[in-house]
Amino acid sequence: MDVNLFDYELPEELIAQDPPEDRSSSRLLILDKETGAVEHRHFYEICDMLGPGDCLVINDTKVIPARLMGEKTGTGAGVEVLLLKRRADDVWETLVKPGKKARPGAEISFGNGLLTGQVLEVVEEGNRLIRFRYEGIFEEILDRLGQMPLPPYITHQLKDKNRYQTVYARHEGSAAAPTAGLHFTEELLARLREKGVTIVPVTLHVGLGTFRPVKAEQVEDHHMHAEFYQIGENEAALLNEAKKAGRRIIAVGTTSCRTLESAADESGQITSLSGWTDIFIYPGYRFKVVEGLITNFHLPKSTLMMLVSALAGREHVMAAYEEAVRERYRFFSFGDAMFVM
């Protein structure tokens, strides 16, 4: 399948640079996955589309302030380090810019020596393993020195770093936010619960591999990077009960969707487990659990576009995106939302 089938034209001014003042005020495009029909709403109206018995699955991962600005010891040259994955207690797989300043053995200082790191080796795709040294608690130092790792298409400074977290973020470990969840407020979640919607948290720590461009010409040749996920016993029981009763299971975001589909057997039964998933969902995939999806508008030719197209049909999705561009929707992480139902 040609990757270019998932390309579209997007005017640069439609890329959202700032989060909306009110999370739930974003626009919401409703897409009927069977007919391709679209409807235009606002996100706070999501309560009108969900009812008693529906099961809404959220990703409760928390973004860490993973972007560190440092200096190479000895030369003072500026180095940017992005934490990707914890390999051991104080050893992280990182993305370093510029890489030529981070050869094995190089020492990097952050915050005038409050945190230091030594490059151990170069691994897959030029990433670096770095061992950090510090006094105290690493997470507290990171919170003090680190910045939120906003995507490169966002050029504005984020005034409040909590706006790149969902209101239900709990478990630290992501290098990027599960952005479909940014639209929910505590009040909106309370209204959904009052209406009888079951809200089930799962965890998938989002890595940058999810957002890397597909460089292969054919979709099938692309390799996904593995990400850590976890589903608890109570959550698995709630999901299996909903599935058995024939109730809708709706994923908030592609990360929740990938978590559910990774944890399910061929019959759709979900097991409580934790592990790594590199599941790649594209058209032709048969969904075992997910029936609906709340998601943002994604980058052209991305694996996220392919996942949405697998659920709703490529032609329906591409037509909906054309409609969103015509209607001047806001795109990407801080942009508007789509509900595939």
Side-chain angles (χ1 to χ4, degrees):
M1 187 182 304
D2 191 340
V3 168
N4 291 313
L5 290 172
F6 302 92
D7 197 9
Y8 67 93
E9 293 291 330
L10 179 68
E12 188 174 345
E13 66 268 19
L14 295 186
I15 299 175
Q17 292 295 323
D18 303 289
E21 189 172 333
D22 174 13
R23 290 176 182 263
S24 64
S25 67
S26 300
R27 296 169 73 187
L28 178 66
L29 187 148
I30 312 297
L31 173 61
D32 186 316
K33 67 178 186 285
E34 303 300 332
T35 68
V38 300
E39 184 180 349
H40 303 288
R41 297 282 197 101
H42 285 89
F43 197 83
Y44 53 76
E45 296 177 279
I46 195 73
C47 290
D48 298 337
M49 282 131 240
L50 299 174
D54 282 340
C55 192
L56 194 67
V57 183
I58 60 175
N59 181 6
D60 64 5
T61 188
K62 190 171 186 177
V63 186
I64 60 174
R67 186 168 174 250
L68 290 163
M69 308 305 293
E71 296 180 347
K72 185 177 178 181
T73 302
T75 68
V79 180
E80 177 182 332
V81 174
L82 186 64
L83 305 181
L84 299 177
K85 186 188 302 181
R86 191 193 292 266
R87 289 288 195 92
D89 284 346
D90 293 321
V91 177
W92 285 77
E93 182 176 341
T94 69
L95 178 65
V96 181
K97 297 180 183 179
K100 63 183 180 181
K101 295 178 182 175
R103 295 188 173 92
E107 298 273 351
I108 305 170
S109 175
F110 309 91
N112 294 319
L114 186 64
L115 177 69
T116 61
Q118 181 183 47
V119 180
L120 301 180
E121 61 177 294
V122 180
V123 293
E124 184 183 4
E125 295 201 355
N127 294 342
R128 267 67 173 169
L129 289 188
I130 295 181
R131 173 177 285 115
F132 290 99
R133 294 186 297 274
Y134 52 90
E135 290 186 8
I137 299 172
F138 181 76
E139 287 74 16
E140 291 181 357
I141 295 171
L142 189 62
D143 192 56
R144 179 174 168 183
L145 299 181
Q147 302 172 21
M148 280 300 186
L150 296 179
Y153 51 75
I154 294 178
T155 59
H156 291 190
Q157 189 74 28
L158 185 63
K159 296 176 183 177
D160 178 4
K161 64 183 180 182
N162 286 324
R163 292 307 308 274
Y164 196 57
Q165 301 279 19
T166 62
V167 298
Y168 45 74
R170 295 291 181 271
H171 302 293
E172 292 188 336
S174 276
T179 54
L182 296 179
H183 305 281
F184 286 92
T185 63
E186 295 285 8
E187 293 76 16
L188 194 54
L189 291 168
R191 284 171 56 198
L192 288 168
R193 290 188 180 96
E194 288 170 7
K195 197 173 180 181
V197 175
T198 302
I199 298 175
V200 179
V202 298
T203 305
L204 182 139
H205 292 321
V206 188
L208 293 186
T210 300
F211 305 101
R212 280 187 170 141
V214 177
K215 296 179 180 178
E217 294 181 0
Q218 297 296 309
V219 170
E220 297 83 353
D221 294 335
H222 178 70
H223 173 67
M224 293 286 285
H225 289 70
E227 295 166 310
F228 180 83
Y229 75 103
Q230 184 170 335
I231 298 180
E233 288 186 12
N234 291 339
E235 288 72 24
L238 287 170
L239 290 163
N240 289 328
E241 181 183 332
K243 180 79 174 175
K244 185 177 180 181
R247 306 203 305 268
R248 286 195 304 174
I249 295 178
I250 297 158
V252 176
T254 56
T255 59
S256 297
C257 177
R258 293 177 65 242
T259 300
L260 293 173
E261 295 297 316
S262 296
D265 63 19
E266 288 304 313
S267 69
Q269 185 81 2
I270 290 177
T271 304
S272 168
L273 47 73
S274 63
W276 296 84
T277 179
D278 61 358
I279 188 171
F280 182 16
I281 298 175
Y282 55 88
Y285 178 84
R286 185 181 67 83
F287 285 85
K288 297 171 285 189
V289 179
V290 174
E291 297 173 56
L293 176 68
I294 296 171
T295 188
N296 279 17
F297 292 94
H298 303 296
L299 289 162
K301 298 195 287 188
S302 64
T303 60
L304 310 178
M305 281 283 291
M306 295 167 193
L307 184 152
V308 179
S309 296
L311 183 64
R314 189 191 71 85
E315 292 182 357
H316 289 168
V317 171
M318 299 309 291
Y321 269 58
E322 289 179 12
E323 173 86 354
V325 170
R326 282 196 300 270
E327 294 293 324
R328 312 292 291 177
Y329 274 67
R330 301 166 75 244
F331 279 65
F332 306 159
S333 294
F334 287 143
D336 296 315
M338 173 190 284
F339 182 16
V340 178
M341 60 183 295

